[in-house]
Amino acid sequence: ASYSDQGRAILQWIKENHDGDNPTVALLYNDTAFGRSPVEDIKKHGEEIGVKIVDEQVIDVQATEAQSQLLNMKKKNPDYAIIQQTWGATATILKDAKTLGIDTQFIGLNWAAGEGVIDLVGDVAEGYMGILSHAFPYEDLSGMEEIKEYLDSEGKTVDDIDQKFVQGWATSKILVEGIKKAAETTDGEITGEDIRAGLESLTDFDLGGLGANVTFTPDNHAGTDKTRLGKVENGKWVAITDYFSHR
């Protein structure tokens, strides 16, 4: 799912699961195209569903401290704060929030989640929430079986890979399926246009839980707007939703 769809999904989850009325949200992001990209869409969706965005703080992607921004955010006392960052800046935010005693529920988009955040902050990550765009190697999912078979052939196990390996596998699996579809409609001379047409013929392509099922058409290359949410519990990411859409 795009960053915007991830942000919308988080707001939708907040709307449906917040304990009490009128949940409030802050946005923490860096001043890059990556950081800014979902901000306006998140704010618009918040207005549409009645989740109020009460604060925005810009934190450098290479920040080693964020206390001034977090103290400014604390004045607005948001129930939730959505983080659009990489692991390093996210680790800085979580550590400084703990130092300052901020009890806002932080929720990261996909590059602010993953094993790397836990590696950087340890126990500070407990209770942190994030987008789980793809499966973790330790999840019991049908799509993991072929990965395990491959790893076994290489003398490895799921302990040797991480979520980003699974993400790469899922992406390659989609591409291979598109090539297969192209091969079915050509005489063996497969072009890039053939592969594109093959991909555009995929409907609800099942990744076995490695990621959300994907559909492509000539008019829509997004693949999916579905994602999952998870929480860090006992040092591991645990999914708390299935793949869902904000729509």
Side-chain angles (χ1 to χ4, degrees):
S2 70
Y3 300 139
S4 290
D5 282 335
Q6 291 177 33
R8 294 182 185 108
I10 290 172
L11 292 187
Q12 203 69 39
W13 182 89
I14 289 171
K15 175 72 173 180
E16 296 172 5
N17 292 275
H18 179 68
D19 185 13
D21 298 328
N22 305 317
T24 56
V25 176
L27 304 180
L28 309 179
Y29 55 92
N30 56 68
D31 191 20
T32 67
F34 156 73
R36 296 187 303 269
S37 63
V39 171
E40 292 306 314
D41 288 335
I42 292 173
K43 289 160 66 175
K44 181 179 179 181
H45 192 65
E47 291 178 1
E48 290 172 352
I49 67 173
V51 176
K52 190 172 184 180
I53 310 300
V54 296
D55 191 45
E56 296 177 51
Q57 295 294 327
V58 176
I59 300 170
D60 191 83
V61 70
Q62 296 181 324
T64 56
E65 73 87 22
Q67 292 198 12
S68 59
Q69 292 97 329
L70 289 171
L71 285 170
N72 286 334
M73 183 195 80
K74 190 176 182 180
K75 295 174 185 176
K76 301 295 180 65
N77 193 30
D79 298 303
Y80 306 88
I82 296 175
I83 302 175
Q84 169 68 334
Q85 291 280 8
T86 56
W87 288 343
T90 301
T92 296
I93 291 167
L94 296 181
K95 287 187 288 188
D96 283 356
K98 184 175 179 63
T99 298
L100 296 170
I102 295 173
D103 59 4
T104 293
Q105 175 65 64
F106 291 92
I107 308 177
L109 300 192
N110 70 295
W111 292 110
E115 298 101 334
V117 175
I118 301 174
D119 292 342
L120 289 171
V121 302
D123 291 345
V124 173
E126 287 296 308
Y128 175 52
M129 294 176 62
I131 288 289
L132 307 187
S133 61
H134 293 81
F136 290 88
Y138 50 77
E139 293 189 74
D140 184 17
L141 299 164
S142 62
M144 284 302 303
E145 293 308 311
E146 60 185 8
I147 294 179
K148 290 176 182 177
E149 289 178 13
Y150 166 76
L151 291 171
D152 185 61
S153 73
E154 295 288 313
K156 298 179 180 180
T157 71
V158 292
D159 294 330
D160 297 310
I161 64 171
D162 58 15
Q163 187 199 33
K164 296 300 174 264
F165 182 101
V166 176
Q167 181 173 342
W169 185 282
T171 302
S172 298
K173 189 175 176 68
I174 294 167
L175 178 57
V176 167
E177 189 66 18
I179 294 170
K180 286 181 179 178
K181 294 291 188 183
E184 292 171 1
T185 59
T186 63
D187 59 4
E189 293 283 336
I190 300 174
T191 68
E193 289 186 359
D194 295 328
I195 294 171
R196 182 181 65 192
L199 288 167
E200 290 172 346
S201 73
L202 298 184
T203 301
D204 202 30
F205 179 58
D206 188 356
L207 290 169
L210 301 183
N213 291 1
V214 296
T215 297
F216 297 102
T217 70
D219 299 322
N220 189 338
H221 288 179
T224 185
D225 62 6
K226 293 183 178 180
T227 192
R228 302 184 298 171
L229 273 175
K231 179 178 284 191
V232 179
E233 297 180 358
N234 300 315
K236 292 176 68 175
W237 282 100
V238 177
I240 62 172
T241 73
D242 291 326
Y243 292 100
F244 72 101
S245 169
H246 63 86
R247 299 182 193 279

